[in-house]
Amino acid sequence: MRALAVGWTLVIFVLLWMPPPPPPELVWPWWDSLVHFCLLTAFGGLWTWAGRRGAWVLVAGVLLGAITEIGQGLLPWERHTSLGDFAFDVLGLAIGWLLGRGLWPRALGSRPPWW
């Protein structure tokens, strides 16, 4: 599970720092924020399932969100720093962390070691 979590973290950097794809046909103003939300929800859930303690996951996720947002503002192509995207990063992280904690016992039949 840890290898999957590490891989997903690398995918986040690639997706958020590569040149942006064209927007979807139905342009929704919150599309980019929804992508951030989903990426960080998976981050929180995967790292929690990988056995990392809650505080580590939350601090690392907030730092990841901040680093990706700052990095987007420094890229030479059309990416921008957005406080709204960062807020969706943190919201997704928290939900992923809660899901990871709540689904572990049901999925694996036991309590995780940090519970």
Side-chain angles (χ1 to χ4, degrees), residues 76-114:
W77 43 80
E78 189 180 331
R79 289 284 190 174
H80 61 279
T81 300
S82 166
L83 190 56
D85 286 349
F86 178 70
F88 274 84
D89 287 339
V90 173
L91 180 63
L93 170 69
I95 290 173
W97 177 74
L98 289 171
L99 288 172
R101 286 183 55 114
L103 295 178
W104 178 285
R106 290 188 201 116
L108 300 178
S110 65
R111 297 176 83 72
W114 64 91

Side-chain angles (χ1 to χ4, degrees), residues 12-35:
I12 289 173
F13 278 110
V14 169
L15 289 177
L16 295 181
W17 286 358
M18 70 182 198
E25 290 287 326
L26 298 173
V27 178
W28 184 50
W30 294 94
W31 175 254
D32 189 45
S33 296
L34 178 64
V35 170

